[in-house]
mmCIF file of all heavy atoms in Angstrom:
data_model
loop_
_atom_site.group_PDB
_atom_site.id
_atom_site.type_symbol
_atom_site.label_atom_id
_atom_site.label_comp_id
_atom_site.label_asym_id
_atom_site.label_seq_id
_atom_site.Cartn_x
_atom_site.Cartn_y
_atom_site.Cartn_z
ATOM 1 N N ASP B 137 99.984 103.775 74.721
ATOM 2 C CA ASP B 137 98.609 104.181 74.871
ATOM 3 C C ASP B 137 98.519 105.375 75.874
ATOM 4 O O ASP B 137 99.316 105.475 76.614
ATOM 5 C CB ASP B 137 97.694 102.937 75.243
ATOM 6 C CG ASP B 137 98.007 102.491 76.688
ATOM 7 O OD1 ASP B 137 98.924 101.863 76.771
ATOM 8 O OD2 ASP B 137 97.148 102.855 77.432
ATOM 9 N N LEU B 138 97.317 105.970 75.665
ATOM 10 C CA LEU B 138 97.096 107.169 76.390
ATOM 11 C C LEU B 138 95.862 107.081 77.191
ATOM 12 O O LEU B 138 94.845 106.665 76.783
ATOM 13 C CB LEU B 138 96.835 108.435 75.275
ATOM 14 C CG LEU B 138 97.188 109.869 75.545
ATOM 15 C CD1 LEU B 138 98.750 109.881 75.900
ATOM 16 C CD2 LEU B 138 96.852 110.665 74.396
ATOM 17 N N THR B 139 95.921 107.629 78.437
ATOM 18 C CA THR B 139 94.840 107.559 79.458
ATOM 19 C C THR B 139 94.486 108.975 79.922
ATOM 20 O O THR B 139 94.799 109.231 81.050
ATOM 21 C CB THR B 139 95.057 106.462 80.469
ATOM 22 O OG1 THR B 139 95.403 105.259 79.931
ATOM 23 C CG2 THR B 139 93.717 106.364 81.243
ATOM 24 N N PRO B 140 93.831 109.787 79.109
ATOM 25 C CA PRO B 140 93.375 111.170 79.658
ATOM 26 C C PRO B 140 92.233 110.995 80.731
ATOM 27 O O PRO B 140 91.420 110.013 80.662
ATOM 28 C CB PRO B 140 92.865 111.786 78.507
ATOM 29 C CG PRO B 140 92.416 110.798 77.495
ATOM 30 C CD PRO B 140 93.115 109.434 77.806
ATOM 31 N N VAL B 141 92.184 111.964 81.585
ATOM 32 C CA VAL B 141 91.040 112.114 82.482
ATOM 33 C C VAL B 141 89.906 112.759 81.649
ATOM 34 O O VAL B 141 88.703 112.211 81.676
ATOM 35 C CB VAL B 141 91.334 113.038 83.644
ATOM 36 C CG1 VAL B 141 90.098 113.192 84.562
ATOM 37 C CG2 VAL B 141 92.534 112.495 84.426
ATOM 38 N N TYR B 142 90.256 113.754 80.828
ATOM 39 C CA TYR B 142 89.291 114.317 79.930
ATOM 40 C C TYR B 142 89.647 114.138 78.496
ATOM 41 O O TYR B 142 90.607 114.833 77.940
ATOM 42 C CB TYR B 142 89.206 115.803 80.180
ATOM 43 C CG TYR B 142 88.955 116.028 81.671
ATOM 44 C CD1 TYR B 142 89.940 116.618 82.418
ATOM 45 C CD2 TYR B 142 87.610 115.704 82.322
ATOM 46 C CE1 TYR B 142 89.750 116.907 83.806
ATOM 47 C CE2 TYR B 142 87.469 116.020 83.633
ATOM 48 C CZ TYR B 142 88.499 116.551 84.419
ATOM 49 O OH TYR B 142 88.314 116.810 85.746
ATOM 50 N N PRO B 143 89.156 113.044 77.750
ATOM 51 C CA PRO B 143 89.462 112.831 76.473
ATOM 52 C C PRO B 143 89.351 114.104 75.598
ATOM 53 O O PRO B 143 88.332 114.803 75.800
ATOM 54 C CB PRO B 143 88.538 111.743 76.072
ATOM 55 C CG PRO B 143 88.234 111.069 77.293
ATOM 56 C CD PRO B 143 88.179 112.092 78.308
ATOM 57 N N ASP B 144 90.148 114.390 74.729
ATOM 58 C CA ASP B 144 90.320 115.531 73.832
ATOM 59 C C ASP B 144 90.544 115.091 72.471
ATOM 60 O O ASP B 144 91.685 114.503 72.184
ATOM 61 C CB ASP B 144 91.373 116.413 74.409
ATOM 62 C CG ASP B 144 91.912 117.550 73.529
ATOM 63 O OD1 ASP B 144 91.757 117.468 72.307
ATOM 64 O OD2 ASP B 144 92.701 118.449 74.076
ATOM 65 N N ASP B 145 89.621 115.320 71.512
ATOM 66 C CA ASP B 145 89.703 114.641 70.183
ATOM 67 C C ASP B 145 90.957 115.068 69.456
ATOM 68 O O ASP B 145 91.640 114.223 68.845
ATOM 69 C CB ASP B 145 88.541 115.132 69.374
ATOM 70 C CG ASP B 145 87.368 114.405 69.668
ATOM 71 O OD1 ASP B 145 87.377 113.371 70.486
ATOM 72 O OD2 ASP B 145 86.129 114.919 69.396
ATOM 73 N N SER B 146 91.439 116.339 69.709
ATOM 74 C CA SER B 146 92.683 116.779 68.983
ATOM 75 C C SER B 146 93.783 116.087 69.440
ATOM 76 O O SER B 146 94.694 115.578 68.769
ATOM 77 C CB SER B 146 92.686 118.334 69.016
ATOM 78 O OG SER B 146 94.020 118.708 69.146
ATOM 79 N N GLU B 147 93.993 116.020 70.793
ATOM 80 C CA GLU B 147 94.972 115.372 71.441
ATOM 81 C C GLU B 147 95.053 113.893 71.033
ATOM 82 O O GLU B 147 96.146 113.391 70.648
ATOM 83 C CB GLU B 147 94.886 115.421 72.951
ATOM 84 C CG GLU B 147 95.915 114.855 73.789
ATOM 85 C CD GLU B 147 95.669 114.983 75.253
ATOM 86 O OE1 GLU B 147 94.627 114.343 75.831
ATOM 87 O OE2 GLU B 147 96.177 115.898 75.881
#
Side-chain angles (χ1 to χ4, degrees):
Chain B
D137 67 288
L138 209 63
T139 308
V141 181
Y142 306 110
D144 162 343
D145 287 346
S146 146
E147 180 180 78

